[in-house]
Structure formats: C-alpha cells, structure tokens
Amino acid sequence: MTLTTSADSEFLKNKVSDDAQHFLEKLFPEPKLNRALLVTPPDADNTIFNPEAASSGTYSNFPPYGLALLSNVLEDAGVECDILNLNHIILKTCHEGRIKTVNDFDAMWKNQLNAKIEEYQPDFIGVTCMFTMTYNSFKAVCKVIGQSGIPLVIGGVAVTNDIEMTLNEVPDAKITVLNEGELVLKDLVRAIRREVDVGALGQVIFSDGGKRYHLDEIRRPTGIEIDAIPNFDKIQVGELSRYGVVGSYQAFLPKETRVATSLSNRGCRGRCTFCSVRSFNGAGVRHRSINSILNELEILKNEHGINHIMWLDDDLFKDHPRAISLFNGMVRRNLNMTWDASNGVLAVSCVDDVIAA
C-alpha cells in the first residue's frame, strides 16, 4: 500500500497544472481568442432519423438555451460568438421538402457545418450533448469538426454523466467542460489569452492524445451569476416551434402558437435515483431574480412573438412566495402568456395559494 501525503498531492496537482498549461499553449500558440462557434447537433443520427416524421413537424426542436447563455459569457469576454443549430436546420429543410432520405440528411448537416466553419473561421468550436438520444449524432458532428483541425471543446449533461466513455469515443475533443459551463468558460478564455494560469481552472479536462489532464475542482455559478437572459437573436427562437415541437403540450395549443423555453432556477430538492439533475447541478436550488425572468419573458413576447413558455425548471415551485410573485408579475406586466412545466413539478408544492397564482 502506498501512502500519499498532502505534500505529494500538492506536487501531483501542480504537475497536472503544468502539463495542462503546456498543452494549452501548444493548442493555442498565440495568446488570443477572437471568435468561437457553438454547435447543437441534430437530435437524431442517420440510423433513426425519419425525414417523413420530421417534415410533419413532430420532432423536438428545443431552443439551445444553454448555448445562448454561454454566448453571452464569451461576448462579455470580448469573443465574437455564433451558434449553429443543426437540429433546427435539418427540421426546417425537411419541412421545405429538401430532405427525402437519410443520405440527404447526412449531406445536409455536414455541408452546413463545413460551410459555416469555412465562412466563420472560429478559433475554437464548442459542441453540446444534452441527452443520450443525441449521443451518436454528437459523435458524428465532433468527427467532422476534428477534420477541420480547429480545437474542439465539448460539454453538456450527457458528456458529464459518462465522461470516460465520451473521451474514449470522441478522440477529437481537446477540451471537455464538465457540469455548468459559465465560470469555466470565462476562465478558459483568460487562460488561452495567458491572463491566468491553467491551474486557476476547474471542472475541465484537457486531452492530449492518450494523456488527460483533469482539473477537477467544481465551481457552480451562484444565483447572481445565473441571473442572465440568453441571447435569443442567435438561436432564431421565434421560428423553432414552427418546424418542431417544444415541450410536451404543443399539440394542445392553437396551431400558430409560438413556443419557447425559460429557466427560472437551477437544481432540484428531490433526490430521485433515476435523475441526473442533482449530480449535474449539485444539491439545492439556485434562483434567478423575478425581475430578470419577467424581463426575459417580455423580450420573448415583444421581440420574438412567443406566447407560450415551457419552463425548463426541475423544481419550479421550490419557493412558494417566489413562485407566487413570478406568476403575479406575469399578470401585472400583462404578458398574456400560457405555460407548461413539462419537466414536472413536485406534488408537495402544489398548495392552494401557489395553484391560485
């Protein structure tokens, strides 16, 4: 048995940081980062994609809400950013009758991706994977990006939940961001620019061929840091529900209803064994301010024509007075929006005053 002292642990941590620093400087020889591209893969790959079903508008077409938040982080750091939503492009072109077969499907997203890379010339490309349903499509997109030679950054719930399998099966990924990405992405930009050492980073893995450098300190954004409105202009939020389904209840709405998503808090007080929210977001619930949420809903309503919201929250009614204040605020601002909570609510919170609000 080998005993490791605290001094040994500190030495090993410093060694990992030094190796990761050298790798990052090799990956980005110039201390600059001007432009980033964030990509949402098609929800399905060519083994399960059905063009006929897609053209009928029955496939999901959720806004890439998380990428729209991360684009704010990048642009606040002075990095020009664009979002390529391949899932939306596929569903829209199916609706227009331009995809008839799975071969058309593959050719369409690959051509769109390569054309965007050629036109935009990003300094790095980030790809997200939310659900395991998207995993094979995610791998295919990463493989195409790998051929461009541009550094690939990956992240998302599915990536975080099975990081070993992901890194083994996505060898082109150079940087992996775990859990929520706002803080680490902000610091990653600073590290690329040599404003901070790599040792200042956490919840990130650098992959240099067969070598991996894991900086594993988890830092979760606070309530103040998550109090942000996504950049909806970058994700065509007003037209997504025209070509696919957002949430579980769109079929019950009037045909021309425009649907989007909103997230008022992160986390859940539940400890359900089948759910990954707690492992991804951590224990407890962090709230955005009511004013920020209402401002977001006004932007969706007035600038993008949205009149129905699917709440992304996993514990929407966690704080009863807050929930009541939110719904009363929607009435006071005359938003006249309907909503659903497709992710579910905890029955214990369905008390009379909350339901009345």
Side-chain angles (χ1 to χ4, degrees):
M1 181 174 69
T2 302
L3 297 178
T4 303
T5 67
S6 58
D8 292 333
S9 298
E10 189 65 26
F11 172 79
L12 292 173
K13 179 180 178 181
N14 291 338
K15 178 69 166 59
V16 169
S17 297
D18 289 344
D19 290 343
Q21 182 75 43
H22 294 148
F23 171 67
L24 189 68
E25 291 174 4
K26 181 174 67 174
L27 195 62
F28 295 92
E30 298 294 324
K32 63 181 182 179
L33 185 63
N34 299 323
R35 191 176 294 119
L37 176 65
L38 304 179
V39 180
T40 299
D43 275 355
D45 72 333
N46 58 15
T47 64
I48 58 175
F49 185 78
N50 184 327
E52 184 177 351
S55 63
S56 69
T58 58
Y59 274 11
S60 294
N61 197 18
F62 283 90
Y65 193 94
L67 294 190
L69 287 171
L70 293 179
S71 73
N72 287 341
V73 173
L74 290 167
E75 296 200 333
D76 286 346
V79 180
E80 182 185 333
C81 181
D82 203 359
I83 297 174
L84 180 66
N85 186 348
L86 291 174
N87 189 62
H88 176 57
I89 290 171
I90 287 295
L91 297 184
K92 185 174 181 178
T93 50
C94 278
H95 188 84
E96 294 168 349
R98 292 193 283 151
I99 295 179
K100 301 291 187 183
T101 68
V102 292
N103 288 334
D104 296 338
F105 161 80
D106 263 347
M108 176 60 70
W109 73 255
K110 289 177 182 178
N111 290 340
Q112 290 284 332
L113 178 58
N114 284 323
K116 185 65 179 181
I117 293 172
E118 178 64 26
E119 169 214 341
Y120 198 62
Q121 291 293 302
D123 297 308
F124 81 72
I125 302 174
V127 186
T128 184
C129 186
M130 179 76 173
F131 298 115
T132 52
M133 177 189 76
T134 309
Y135 182 69
N136 286 335
S137 175
F138 162 77
K139 288 197 299 181
V141 168
C142 289
K143 185 175 181 179
V144 172
I145 293 171
Q147 295 167 356
S148 72
I150 296 171
L152 171 62
V153 182
I154 62 172
V157 175
V159 171
T160 300
N161 283 349
D162 200 338
I163 186 60
E164 286 301 319
M165 181 184 74
T166 301
L167 292 181
N168 288 336
E169 297 185 357
V170 187
D172 294 303
K174 303 302 182 184
I175 303 173
T176 302
V177 175
L178 306 176
N179 302 90
E180 297 159 289
E182 288 99 329
L183 298 183
V184 64
L185 194 59
K186 178 181 177 180
D187 285 341
L188 178 62
V189 171
R190 297 177 65 204
I192 291 171
R193 291 172 172 167
R194 317 295 196 263
E195 296 170 359
V196 297
D197 291 335
V198 167
L201 302 178
Q203 64 191 71
V204 62
I205 301 174
F206 296 95
S207 301
D208 183 8
K211 299 177 182 177
R212 295 174 188 165
Y213 311 116
H214 190 169
L215 305 174
D216 54 7
E217 179 186 356
I218 300 296
R219 293 179 300 147
R220 303 192 190 281
T222 65
I224 295 174
E225 289 164 331
I226 67 171
D227 205 16
I229 298 174
N231 192 331
F232 292 117
D233 290 330
K234 291 186 182 296
I235 58 175
Q236 303 85 41
V237 71
E239 67 175 51
L240 298 179
S241 60
R242 187 182 306 170
Y243 302 107
V245 177
V246 179
S248 300
Y249 303 102
Q250 189 169 320
F252 294 96
L253 302 172
K255 186 173 178 58
E256 298 305 316
T257 302
R258 293 188 183 184
V259 185
T261 57
S262 185
L263 181 66
S264 81
N265 65 41
R266 297 190 194 180
C268 180
R269 78 193 106 157
R271 303 188 183 193
C272 303
T273 57
F274 58 79
C275 181
S276 65
V277 168
R278 197 173 176 85
S279 61
F280 186 82
N281 293 111
V285 179
R286 287 158 290 150
H287 300 296
R288 289 175 60 192
S289 71
I290 297 299
N291 191 56
S292 173
I293 302 163
L294 294 174
N295 289 343
E296 179 174 313
L297 297 182
E298 282 192 332
I299 291 171
L300 287 170
K301 175 79 174 184
N302 298 331
E303 298 182 17
H304 302 282
I306 302 299
N307 37 32
H308 182 89
I309 288 295
M310 176 208 156
W311 295 109
L312 295 169
D313 300 49
D314 295 285
D315 198 354
L316 181 63
F317 301 158
K318 166 64 170 64
D319 182 315
H320 293 181
R322 177 181 178 276
I324 292 169
S325 178
L326 171 61
F327 299 129
N328 286 344
M330 292 174 69
V331 174
R332 282 195 299 271
R333 295 205 191 187
N334 197 32
L335 290 173
N336 195 29
M337 301 173 85
T338 56
W339 58 266
D340 70 76
S342 292
N343 280 345
V345 297
L346 275 68
V348 70
S349 284
C350 294
V351 296
D352 289 346
D353 53 353
V354 172
I355 299 304

